[in-house]
């Protein structure tokens, strides 16, 4: 069985959407053993742990979250990624600015396939609750590593080119502000500690293992020549996914796709947060309402830094340097 996941689980500052596509095995199969196996996979989400195995391609946020969820229902989960995981966050050192910068730059340079790794991200309250439900202690670990508690209504300063707006009213929807680097590293630390989960680093996937008689995906081919078998394969490799090519290679038509080029371009930079006793806000946004053709924002993250992002549509695009 094969499933394809959309990229990332965080709010991103770009107008880009991806549709999730799930490829189920053909329903017309005369093999009773396969039918039983398929039903077991479909029911794994509601039963206790079975003897089933799963492969997850990609260790970004979606891949890590999927692997964590599968581990409670599958006997063995294998997480595959072409990168190393040397950046697993250490709470004791994460709040050290110099150590943090070294880890951050190293991860940014290595994970160039991850869209907008350096761009501002915000996890909404519901997303944080779901993370905590799946991985108890995730919120506390984020806080200890330097994430800041924010209310996206109470703590925002909004400016429309001279017309300022400061709500100051609590929304009751607090969350934590942090870099994507920290969100992902803390999650990775938890996932790597799961007993029935193993990791294959430097794993380059070359295609799907397909059983034509049973009409189902049964594993993955690696470029090293290795074959990995599993009852469920999840592709969470994001924009670098080769799922369409893999499906075509086994004789299946890939799902239809569509894209919209909004023409949005943006520039990013990080600044040290200055001390200001009079500042009563944590987030700042500026846009030319009602046209909405330009926007700027500042989001606080760990180690006392601002993530600053300027964006604009055609005719109002910002320079490449700030």
């Amino acid at each position: 069985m094969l499933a394809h996941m959309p990229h990332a689980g965080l709010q991103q500052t770009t107008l880009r959407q991806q549709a999730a596509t799930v490829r189920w095995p053909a329903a017309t199969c005369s093999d009773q053993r396969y039918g039983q196996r398929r039903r077991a996979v479909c029911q794994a989400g509601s039963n206790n742990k079975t003897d089933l195995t799963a492969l997850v391609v990609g260790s970004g946020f979606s891949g890590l979250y999927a692997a964590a969820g599968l581990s409670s229902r599958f006997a063995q989960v294998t997480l595959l990624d072409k990168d190393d995981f040397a950046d697993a966050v250490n709470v004791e050192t994460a709040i050290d600015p110099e150590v943090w910068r070294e880890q951050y730059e190293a991860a940014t340079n290595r994970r160039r396939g991850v869209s907008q790794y350096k761009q501002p991200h915000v996890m909404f309250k519901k997303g944080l609750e779901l993370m905590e439900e799946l991985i108890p202690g995730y919120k506390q670990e984020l806080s200890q590593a330097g994430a800041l508690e924010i209310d996206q209504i109470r703590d925002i300063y909004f400016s429309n080119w001279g017309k300022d707006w400061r709500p100051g009213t609590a929304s009751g929807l607090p969350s934590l502000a942090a870099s994507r680097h920290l969100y992902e590293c803390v999650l990775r630390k938890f996932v790597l500690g799961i007993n029935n989960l193993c990791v294959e680093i430097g794993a380059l996937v070359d295609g799907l293992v397909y059983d034509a008689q049973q009409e189902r995906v049964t594993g993955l081919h690696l470029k090293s020549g290795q074959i990995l078998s599993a009852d469920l394969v999840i592709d969470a490799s994001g924009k670098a996914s080769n799922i369409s090519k893999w499906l075509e290679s086994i004789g299946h038509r890939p799902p239809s796709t569509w894209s919209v080029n909004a023409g949005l371009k943006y520039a990013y930079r990080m600044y040290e947060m200055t001390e200001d006793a009079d500042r009563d806000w944590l987030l700042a946004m500026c846009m030319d309402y009602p046209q909405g053709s330009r926007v700027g924002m500042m989001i606080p993250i760990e180690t006392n830094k601002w993530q600053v992002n300027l964006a604009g549509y055609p005719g109002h695009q910002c320079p490449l340097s700030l």
Side-chain angles (χ1 to χ4, degrees):
M1 182 178 288
L2 173 68
H4 176 62
M5 297 185 66
H7 173 63
L10 306 178
Q11 179 193 12
Q12 300 182 351
T13 55
T14 183
L15 188 60
R16 181 177 301 170
Q17 296 180 338
Q18 295 184 358
T21 304
V22 178
R23 174 69 184 181
W24 298 100
T28 56
C29 179
S30 59
D31 189 279
Q32 293 184 351
R33 288 176 302 173
Y34 160 61
Q36 294 170 352
R37 201 67 171 172
R38 180 189 176 200
R39 285 192 293 274
V41 171
C42 294
Q43 295 168 359
S46 58
N47 294 340
N48 293 326
K49 192 177 294 183
T50 67
D51 63 344
L52 301 175
T53 60
L55 296 171
V56 179
V57 183
S59 68
F61 209 88
S62 294
L64 292 168
Y65 189 84
L70 292 171
S71 66
S72 64
R73 303 298 182 185
F74 284 68
Q76 182 64 48
V77 179
T78 301
L79 183 63
L80 309 173
D81 201 278
K82 59 180 175 34
D83 292 330
D84 197 350
F85 299 143
D87 63 340
V89 71
N90 184 322
V91 171
E92 288 72 24
T93 60
I95 58 177
D96 184 314
E98 293 302 319
V99 175
W100 178 88
R101 180 171 290 280
E102 290 178 5
Q103 293 181 341
Y104 182 82
E105 294 300 331
T108 301
N109 292 332
R110 185 176 64 254
R111 298 187 64 74
R112 295 185 182 276
V114 180
S115 295
Q116 304 151 326
Y117 195 87
K118 280 190 168 185
Q119 304 304 318
H121 289 73
V122 174
M123 186 179 292
F124 289 149
K125 182 176 185 292
K126 187 59 178 180
L128 195 59
E129 289 176 350
L130 292 173
M131 288 298 304
E132 189 68 22
E133 182 180 323
L134 179 65
I135 304 175
Y138 180 75
K139 180 179 179 180
Q140 180 180 355
E141 190 87 4
L142 273 176
S143 296
Q144 291 177 345
L148 290 81
E149 183 167 322
I150 60 169
D151 184 307
Q152 294 182 53
I153 298 298
R154 181 194 62 203
D155 298 327
I156 194 171
Y157 172 84
F158 187 86
S159 177
N160 180 20
W161 304 111
K163 297 179 181 179
D164 300 337
W165 178 57
R166 179 75 174 85
T169 302
S171 68
L173 302 172
S175 188
L176 291 176
S179 66
R180 171 170 177 152
H181 173 70
L182 190 63
Y183 284 129
E184 198 169 289
C185 286
V186 171
L187 176 57
R188 183 174 294 118
K189 177 182 178 180
F190 278 96
V191 171
L192 294 183
I194 297 174
N195 291 331
N196 63 321
L197 185 145
C198 65
V199 176
E200 292 274 352
I201 60 174
L204 300 176
V205 179
D206 198 35
L208 305 171
V209 178
Y210 183 66
D211 187 323
Q213 182 177 2
Q214 297 189 17
E215 294 185 293
R216 72 184 186 105
V217 172
T218 59
L220 293 168
H221 290 285
L222 301 187
K223 289 189 176 181
S224 64
Q226 185 180 4
I227 296 178
L228 302 177
S229 299
D231 297 288
L232 175 67
V233 174
I234 290 184
D235 175 31
S237 53
K239 71 173 185 178
S241 173
N242 288 313
I243 188 66
S244 293
K245 184 176 74 173
W246 295 344
L247 288 172
E248 286 181 324
S249 69
I250 61 175
H252 284 261
R253 185 177 65 185
S256 59
T257 60
W258 59 272
S259 62
V260 176
N261 184 359
L264 181 68
K265 293 186 178 180
Y266 40 81
Y268 153 88
R269 194 167 183 178
M270 198 179 313
Y271 293 91
E272 295 290 336
M273 190 184 299
T274 59
E275 294 292 336
D276 186 348
D278 296 328
R279 185 176 63 234
D280 60 351
W281 49 269
L282 292 173
L283 307 159
M285 178 175 289
C286 179
M287 66 184 302
D288 55 342
Y289 182 82
Q291 295 85 357
S293 55
R294 293 178 294 176
V295 64
M297 65 178 64
M298 293 199 313
I299 295 179
I301 62 171
E302 65 274 14
T303 67
N304 203 43
K305 290 180 174 58
W306 294 110
Q307 280 190 325
V308 179
N309 185 281
L310 299 180
Y313 290 100
H316 301 276
Q317 292 167 345
C318 56
L320 296 180
S321 61
L322 295 179

